[in-house]
Amino acid sequence: MSFDLKLATPMTLADCNCAMVRYEEAGYENHNPALIEIKRHRNSLLPISRLHRELLQHVFHLALPDREYRSSFPLPSFLYYRALSAIRKVSHHWDNEIRGASSFWTFISILLPSPFRDLIWERSGDAPLDVDTSRDSVRYWERGYIDRWNETEKAYLERVTKRGIRQLYLKLPGAESPDPYIDGYSHPWMTWLSIEVESDDAIHILSNPLQIPRLANLNLDGCNMPWDHLHNFCSLSLRRTDGPSLAQLVGILRSSPQLETLSLQFFRPPSGDLSSHTVAANPITLPQLSTVNIRDVPFSLVSGLVDGILPLKTYSTFSIDIFMEEDIDLSGFFRQVGQLCIPPVGEALRVQLAMCSDELVFSTASYRSVCIRKRNWNDQESSSTLGWRTQLARSFFEPGRQVLSEAPIELTAVRVDCDSAMTEGLAILHEFFPKRPVIEPST
């Protein structure tokens, strides 16, 4: 068989493999032009090379890191483009497909070198961009925090805000306002928006309602806005903000039946708008809700959510961590939360039971837990409330008694601040977890 690849005489995969072996046995180097031509022809004969262009590009997207912002932190841009470069190196054909497809060149960041940003700008064409404004944290740590955009950052922002945007991660210096980059712009393609203010002192407020009809994912940290006409969220995360009001929040949730993620942290809606009956009177069904994270919000709001919004189902993540200022009966609340924390049948448990004077923590897994903290309890109150804390622990575990008693257990940890509490804690564990878990007591 000739070593020359003649287009008039097509070679099969077997012919190509045999030719490559003979070239290598003859001592030809990998960059020999004839050998390279044979490898390219062999690649063109593979089934994946005969896929329709749109299907092949879909396979590439599945192989790349997910650019959908699943949290308040975007994927580092260099990780995405490093993975894209690795795919391009597989074959000449794949490289051509990726270089010519705008959908692979929409992820842009201020941290990328300016020439590479220009290349992205050129290859992305008119496709909506995924924009990241994160600063170089190491550089700003060394030189000190700067609460204003520099000229390079301003030029970058001015350029990207004039383009169509699909996802925007806007991390604002403390002295900057989000208005110049949001207000007055219509973003018909935007589905994801995150505004995070790098300041603990003030809450920035957008002047006008958003003009983002397709917005499905919203993350606000240290920022508030007009809440009119917002609906159909898949994820909603609010941190360090005093809006929306409870009535507005209920309206948003009621109009978001596809909601999957709800996160409320350091969230303080107006004090006159915190009646849990507002929520419980008209329960809202959220069948897709799988992740709930609530931290340091008023108990009346948490109680209203558990009572009237959250469906009784198993969540992949369910976490509540709040302070209690008032003395009220929590038995019903813990029973409901315990129902929400029941794991799927067969899932291994990591049980935590903490009954301390200033903290109650009950969990069935590291991502299914409730923590209630109370300030300024003295020793007398701690002793007198031990029975109350034991009752709440039983209220939490009781709804899942059957599932919990049969589930495998990876770890059980007990944390108490007195001997009597340890006795009570061990009794609860032996009652609800008869498979004798490994216990790690601590005080």
Side-chain angles (χ1 to χ4, degrees):
M1 180 175 62
S2 172
F3 290 159
D4 295 328
L5 180 64
K6 298 179 180 180
L7 297 179
T9 309
M11 302 169 66
T12 65
L13 275 174
D15 291 336
C16 291
N17 290 336
C18 184
M20 289 167 57
V21 170
R22 292 188 178 184
Y23 266 99
E24 292 172 358
E25 288 177 348
Y28 285 85
E29 297 182 353
N30 287 334
H31 57 267
N32 178 271
L35 183 56
I36 290 175
E37 191 67 22
I38 291 176
K39 289 181 177 179
R40 285 180 177 174
H41 185 66
R42 180 187 180 279
N43 288 339
S44 71
L45 297 175
L46 294 173
I48 194 170
S49 297
R50 299 196 298 272
L51 290 176
H52 190 276
R53 171 172 292 180
E54 291 183 357
L55 184 56
L56 181 61
Q57 291 180 7
H58 181 65
V59 172
F60 293 159
H61 279 295
L62 292 177
L64 290 167
D66 190 358
R67 287 182 298 170
E68 297 291 338
Y69 296 160
R70 302 298 184 186
S71 69
S72 58
F73 301 100
L75 172 77
S77 53
F78 76 90
L79 291 179
Y80 172 79
Y81 285 108
R82 185 170 65 183
L84 188 67
S85 176
I87 295 176
R88 292 175 61 192
K89 292 176 181 178
V90 171
S91 74
H92 184 69
H93 174 57
W94 286 16
D95 181 46
N96 284 337
E97 285 292 337
I98 290 175
R99 281 192 295 127
S102 61
S103 61
F104 295 105
W105 302 95
T106 61
F107 190 12
I108 193 165
S109 169
I110 188 66
L111 299 180
L112 295 171
S114 180
F116 192 68
R117 292 203 304 269
D118 292 337
L119 178 66
I120 293 172
W121 197 265
E122 175 186 343
R123 291 184 175 176
S124 63
D126 295 327
L129 299 175
D130 300 331
V131 178
D132 176 18
T133 68
S134 300
R135 289 170 151 184
D136 186 340
S137 57
V138 175
R139 181 165 62 91
Y140 279 93
W141 179 265
E142 292 174 348
R143 299 183 182 180
Y145 174 72
I146 301 174
D147 64 357
R148 291 283 185 184
W149 298 119
N150 60 36
E151 294 305 316
T152 300
E153 292 167 332
K154 287 180 180 179
Y156 166 76
L157 287 163
E158 183 178 357
R159 190 179 191 186
V160 298
T161 50
K162 292 180 180 178
R163 272 283 298 270
I165 297 177
R166 188 178 72 104
Q167 298 185 123
L168 174 60
Y169 178 70
L170 188 59
K171 193 166 186 178
L172 286 168
E176 295 285 352
S177 168
D179 274 340
Y181 317 105
I182 303 294
D183 193 17
Y185 290 96
S186 177
H187 296 288
W189 302 106
M190 187 181 293
T191 61
W192 198 99
L193 172 64
S194 174
I195 304 177
E196 179 181 337
V197 180
E198 295 181 311
S199 172
D200 296 328
D201 301 329
I203 294 178
H204 290 253
I205 301 176
L206 284 170
S207 302
N208 296 305
L210 298 177
Q211 301 179 45
I212 310 177
R214 297 189 182 186
L215 186 63
N217 305 279
L218 178 63
N219 174 67
L220 297 181
D221 185 348
C223 182
N224 200 354
M225 64 174 60
W227 292 93
D228 304 323
H229 312 301
L230 293 177
H231 53 82
N232 290 335
F233 285 114
C234 291
S235 67
L236 179 62
S237 177
L238 304 175
R239 187 175 187 273
R240 294 191 302 125
T241 182
D242 53 8
S245 67
L246 180 57
Q248 290 172 322
L249 178 61
V250 170
I252 291 170
L253 296 177
R254 195 181 301 282
S255 62
S256 301
Q258 301 303 312
L259 189 72
E260 300 175 3
T261 301
L262 177 64
S263 178
L264 305 174
Q265 301 185 57
F266 308 99
F267 173 55
R268 289 288 184 270
S271 58
D273 191 41
L274 293 178
S275 173
S276 60
H277 301 294
T278 304
V279 186
N282 297 291
I284 299 171
T285 302
L286 298 173
Q288 305 301 319
L289 190 63
S290 60
T291 299
V292 177
N293 183 20
I294 300 175
R295 178 180 175 83
D296 288 333
V297 304
F299 176 77
S300 54
L301 173 57
V302 178
S303 177
L305 293 175
V306 172
D307 244 356
I309 291 181
L310 309 182
L312 296 180
K313 59 169 283 185
T314 297
Y315 293 91
S316 59
T317 300
F318 186 90
S319 175
I320 292 178
D321 185 345
I322 58 174
F323 277 108
M324 285 290 298
E325 299 291 350
E326 63 272 23
D327 293 322
I328 58 176
D329 182 9
L330 295 175
S331 299
F333 173 76
F334 271 89
R335 191 175 299 107
Q336 288 177 298
V337 173
Q339 177 73 40
L340 298 171
C341 290
I342 297 175
V345 175
E347 180 180 292
L349 305 178
R350 296 181 66 86
V351 180
Q352 181 179 5
L353 175 64
M355 298 193 301
C356 301
S357 60
D358 59 350
E359 182 180 55
L360 291 174
V361 180
F362 309 134
S363 71
T364 57
S366 57
Y367 45 86
R368 292 194 189 97
S369 65
V370 58
C371 173
I372 304 292
R373 289 164 286 149
K374 187 169 182 178
R375 300 183 180 93
N376 302 323
W377 268 354
N378 56 39
D379 292 341
Q380 183 178 354
E381 287 176 316
S382 174
S383 177
S384 64
T385 58
L386 177 58
W388 172 73
R389 285 178 278 158
T390 302
Q391 177 188 351
L392 294 182
R394 285 192 162 87
S395 296
F396 176 82
F397 291 116
E398 182 61 42
R401 178 185 288 270
Q402 182 175 351
V403 174
L404 298 176
S405 64
E406 298 173 355
I409 299 176
E410 290 184 355
L411 178 69
T412 301
V414 181
R415 181 160 52 86
V416 297
D417 53 7
C418 63
D419 291 341
S420 57
M422 176 60 75
T423 301
E424 292 289 343
L426 293 177
I428 291 171
L429 292 178
H430 287 298
E431 176 183 349
F432 289 97
F433 307 97
K435 290 193 174 183
R436 296 185 179 277
V438 177
I439 298 174
E440 295 184 359
S442 62
T443 56

